[in-house]
Amino acid sequence: MHYAIIAAGEGSRLVQEGVALPKPLVDLDGRPMIRRLADIFASCGAESLSIIVNEQMSAVREYLEALAPTLPMPLHLVVKTTPDSMHSFYEVSRVFPAGSKFILTTVDTIFREADFARYAAAFEADDSADGYMAVTDFIDDEKPLYIDVDPADMRITAFRDAPSAADRYISGGIYGLTCGAPLRVLEECMAAGVSRMRNYQRALVDAGLNLRAWPFSKIIDVDHAADIDTAKAFIANT
């Protein structure tokens, strides 16, 4: 299976709050957060890793170029400034082999390694689903994306900006997808001028794709300076 990381955001809130390092290089456990993800993916047997950074992130690009020869899988580095995460996803998706599966994350998505390993193994073994979306019932996000799930089979039926009475989960920012129908829907979204990952996910449901929710015990995002200490403590206690 193939893996990808979106690390193309500007991290402007961290800069405004006094964090000098680019977000992907912030140390959470003795490693930059982007290296932590690469190591986790390698431990899951990644066949390749694709990462997109923006054109202003020279320090991140240089770090990844130096890291690439030490990784056990090929690293495909895309350097391009994009308007949003869906467009970043499109750029890295272009290198995925036809017929394969991949897992995509944002660089600041922090989770327990054991949770991720179970998720990746389940998705790789399931030939019936078009995708596995990581979800969590831990809600500590400024703009969470709520998810309607059929409890009988964990099939996702809707993505919502506001919760319904039955909603338990939000999106965790980890997307496992096949390279068939999900990427065709992505192409259609790009052609139609759609933006934002949450709107792409809605388009997947509208297209009738079989998306399953996979619960993680906890997922947190690093959006603010205070989140760095929260992430460090979370990792240390896993």
Side-chain angles (χ1 to χ4, degrees):
M1 190 155 60
H2 302 268
Y3 291 79
I5 302 171
I6 295 175
E10 296 179 355
S12 57
R13 284 175 289 191
L14 292 182
V15 173
Q16 292 168 3
E17 294 170 7
V19 178
L21 282 173
K23 184 190 287 190
L25 300 184
V26 170
D27 185 331
L28 297 181
D29 64 347
R31 297 170 289 180
M33 67 172 72
I34 199 165
R35 176 61 189 267
R36 177 177 183 266
L37 286 176
D39 289 346
I40 292 171
F41 298 161
S43 71
C44 290
E47 297 176 67
S48 73
L49 174 60
S50 302
I51 301 177
I52 181 168
V53 300
N54 67 45
E55 294 162 7
Q56 291 73 44
M57 284 185 166
S58 57
V60 180
R61 174 181 56 78
E62 291 166 4
Y63 174 83
L64 292 171
E65 288 173 345
L67 178 65
T70 72
L71 295 175
M73 64 284 199
L75 172 62
H76 305 293
L77 180 59
V78 178
V79 181
K80 187 169 184 177
T81 300
T82 61
D84 57 53
S85 57
M86 194 198 83
H87 285 73
S88 294
F89 169 35
Y90 173 75
E91 295 298 332
V92 295
S93 74
R94 299 168 78 179
V95 303
F96 298 145
S100 64
K101 291 182 176 183
F102 64 90
I103 294 176
L104 170 81
T105 75
T106 52
V107 73
D108 61 345
T109 299
I110 311 301
F111 45 79
R112 292 186 170 94
E113 294 186 37
D115 283 350
F116 186 86
R118 287 189 290 269
Y119 159 78
F123 176 49
E124 190 163 23
D126 189 345
D127 293 327
S128 66
D130 295 300
Y132 269 40
M133 302 301 198
V135 301
T136 180
D137 58 7
F138 176 77
I139 303 176
D140 187 29
D141 195 299
E142 293 178 343
K143 296 180 180 179
L145 178 63
Y146 296 89
I147 298 178
D148 289 359
V149 175
D150 184 339
D153 59 2
M154 296 302 288
R155 182 162 180 159
I156 295 172
T157 58
F159 293 93
R160 301 181 185 277
D161 291 326
S164 69
D167 284 339
R168 176 183 175 187
Y169 298 113
I170 63 169
S171 172
I174 305 171
Y175 318 95
L177 295 165
T178 65
C179 283
L183 293 190
R184 289 194 294 273
V185 172
L186 179 61
E187 293 276 359
E188 293 167 1
C189 286
M190 292 291 293
V194 173
S195 62
R196 305 187 71 192
M197 281 294 287
R198 61 183 57 200
N199 292 326
Y200 164 66
Q201 292 178 86
R202 292 185 178 108
L204 293 174
V205 172
D206 291 344
L209 271 60
N210 181 2
L211 303 179
R212 302 294 177 89
W214 184 273
F216 278 52
S217 57
K218 187 176 182 179
I219 300 174
I220 61 176
D221 293 329
V222 177
D223 293 322
H224 296 280
D227 297 334
I228 296 173
D229 288 337
T230 300
K232 287 180 176 180
F234 174 56
I235 293 170
N237 291 322
T238 59

